[in-house]
Amino acid sequence: MANNNYPYEIRDVETPETEVSHNHDEIVSIGPKGYIFPKKFREMAADIYNMEVKPSDVYVFSYPRSGTTWTQELVWLVVNDLDYETALKIPLTDRYPFLEGSMFLNDSRKQKLLDESKDNETNAKDIQNVVKSAVELVNEMPSPRFIKTHLPLSLLPPKALEAKMVYVARDPRDAIVSFYHLIDSLKLANFNGDFKQFWTMKNYQSWSPYFDNVKEAWEKRNHPNLLFLFYEDMRKDLGSSVRRVCDFFGKKYSDDQIAKLCDHLTFDNFKNNPSVNYDLMKKIGLMHTDKEFVRKGKTGGWREYFDEEMTAEADKWIEENLRDTDLRFPSMQ
């Protein structure tokens, strides 16, 4: 049931036996839209909802695998006067606490990681940072505080729009293919199905339902403190998206400076940048060493994964969910 500190009911959900479970043995559903999370999210939901918001805060948020990491680096550099030196020195994960990131580490998984690293002081310290409450980390940060989350607006603090918020959306078919590869790369996910199985259980993935997540931000796209970006627009004309971000944060940069920033953010440079490619996940044993966090970054790649039946299902799913909104993805124009 909802309580005084949290306005939404949190309900246990039984995953159908026919589905391949991953990430967690038990999941919960939150609020009227039924957002899905691992059961551990129950412990942090109210802390996140009630955390302090400062006007100088910067949120980058999205449904997973929609260009979040790319957008985080872009936003951080624009706000911090193109300080590449610091950006290369401090990993993105340290610059942006992931609000709900520790929800996948239940107590037994957390202990297993710590036990495996007990003889490696550096790794043990990194793991402590990963498992620490992100709300605590944010509270300890100097302003401006940069925050990453995949939570929809309704599960964030009610005053979140007093901060600056950048939301990025991606064609749901590409986002889900990328999400599948992420889950496949994570040791703690224990997922051993193929993409088709992953697709059939899309409504049981954390942060789903996809369209509700995106539409909550889309409905606020004209709010002066929210910038709504499409991943496909960024891929097609990065310079234009960079200028939109600069305008949003009231920053003026020369054409040469913007060209340099675009070069820094090109896919090859980004993929080879150790500050953003989540090497830490491999180092502390969360990710398989033969997998990549930053993968291909292309648009339309979903066609290589969807058979005829899945394509028809996706068309119907998209049509039904766009019927009541003027949200349109550039890839579907």
Side-chain angles (χ1 to χ4, degrees):
M1 292 293 293
N3 60 38
N4 293 335
N5 293 322
Y6 197 66
Y8 302 115
E9 185 180 355
I10 301 178
R11 302 173 297 277
D12 291 336
V13 174
E14 284 193 26
T15 310
E17 288 180 18
T18 53
E19 311 291 4
V20 181
S21 185
H22 72 275
N23 267 349
H24 35 67
D25 303 315
E26 297 172 278
I27 56 178
V28 294
S29 163
I30 299 185
K33 291 172 182 169
Y35 286 111
I36 295 293
F37 293 99
K39 202 168 187 178
K40 191 168 175 61
F41 185 73
R42 192 192 289 270
E43 298 171 19
M44 61 184 74
D47 286 344
I48 291 173
Y49 188 82
N50 294 299
M51 65 186 273
E52 179 192 14
V53 175
K54 297 181 180 179
S56 56
D57 290 343
V58 176
Y59 285 77
V60 173
F61 67 134
S62 68
Y63 186 83
R65 310 306 285 171
S66 297
T68 329
T69 308
W70 201 27
T71 308
Q72 283 176 260
E73 179 77 345
L74 161 56
V75 165
W76 193 92
L77 283 164
V78 165
V79 175
N80 287 283
D81 302 323
L82 308 179
D83 185 357
Y84 296 101
E85 190 181 338
T86 301
L88 290 168
K89 202 169 11 180
I90 302 175
L92 198 64
T93 44
D94 289 351
R95 286 180 271 148
Y96 282 83
F98 180 12
L99 265 191
E100 68 277 17
S102 62
M103 69 183 182
F104 293 110
L105 286 168
N106 60 31
D107 293 341
S108 62
R109 283 187 184 130
K110 195 188 298 183
Q111 197 54 53
K112 185 168 181 274
L113 275 179
L114 290 168
D115 289 346
E116 287 170 356
S117 296
K118 63 178 184 291
D119 297 325
N120 185 324
E121 197 176 315
T122 307
N123 276 16
K125 187 181 173 191
D126 286 333
I127 290 166
Q128 288 289 4
N129 283 336
V130 168
V131 302
K132 189 174 182 179
S133 157
V135 174
E136 282 181 46
L137 289 172
V138 170
N139 288 339
E140 293 166 3
M141 290 170 75
S143 294
R145 307 181 304 181
F146 292 82
I147 299 161
K148 168 195 169 176
T149 181
H150 294 309
L151 297 177
L153 263 176
S154 59
L155 302 188
L156 289 170
K159 293 185 175 180
L161 280 166
E162 291 181 6
K164 287 286 196 180
M165 308 189 79
V166 179
Y167 190 92
V168 57
R170 184 182 191 182
D171 184 312
R173 296 162 296 190
D174 279 329
I176 284 172
V177 167
S178 186
F179 201 0
Y180 160 71
H181 282 286
L182 173 66
I183 295 301
D184 188 48
S185 73
L186 296 176
K187 288 184 178 180
L188 55 81
N190 299 321
F191 179 76
N192 54 12
D194 58 17
F195 175 69
K196 189 158 192 171
Q197 288 168 308
F198 193 83
W199 164 254
T200 61
M201 54 184 291
K202 60 184 176 294
N203 293 326
Y204 293 93
Q205 310 299 344
S206 295
W207 302 286
S208 298
Y210 168 87
F211 279 101
D212 285 307
N213 193 311
V214 176
K215 283 192 278 192
E216 283 197 32
W218 178 253
E219 285 161 12
K220 297 291 186 183
R221 69 192 181 282
N222 295 320
H223 190 287
N225 281 346
L226 191 141
L227 177 65
F228 192 104
L229 300 172
F230 283 108
Y231 180 80
E232 291 78 13
D233 288 342
M234 293 172 69
R235 289 287 293 168
K236 188 177 176 184
D237 184 354
L238 182 57
S240 177
S241 295
V242 167
R243 285 184 172 85
R244 285 189 66 202
V245 171
C246 292
D247 289 345
F248 180 66
F249 286 103
K251 294 287 187 175
K252 301 272 188 221
Y253 296 115
S254 68
D255 290 347
D256 286 348
Q257 286 175 310
I258 286 175
K260 183 182 177 184
L261 178 54
C262 288
D263 181 64
H264 175 81
L265 293 166
T266 57
F267 184 74
D268 286 344
N269 285 342
F270 199 72
K271 190 175 176 69
N272 294 314
N273 178 349
S275 180
V276 301
N277 62 20
Y278 281 64
D279 280 352
L280 174 68
M281 302 270 280
K282 297 177 184 178
K283 185 177 156 218
I284 64 176
L286 287 175
M287 180 182 270
H288 295 291
T289 54
D290 61 340
K291 304 286 186 179
E292 300 298 332
F293 185 84
V294 178
R295 214 174 54 85
K296 294 187 175 178
K298 65 183 191 179
T299 58
W302 64 268
R303 291 182 178 87
E304 299 165 22
Y305 293 82
F306 282 66
D307 60 24
E308 205 172 307
E309 179 191 6
M310 294 159 73
T311 301
E313 284 174 5
D315 287 346
K316 185 181 177 192
W317 177 57
I318 290 165
E319 184 189 351
E320 286 174 353
N321 281 284
L322 294 185
R323 194 174 291 149
D324 64 346
T325 175
D326 57 358
L327 169 66
R328 295 295 179 268
F329 291 85
S331 55
M332 302 176 197
Q333 302 284 340

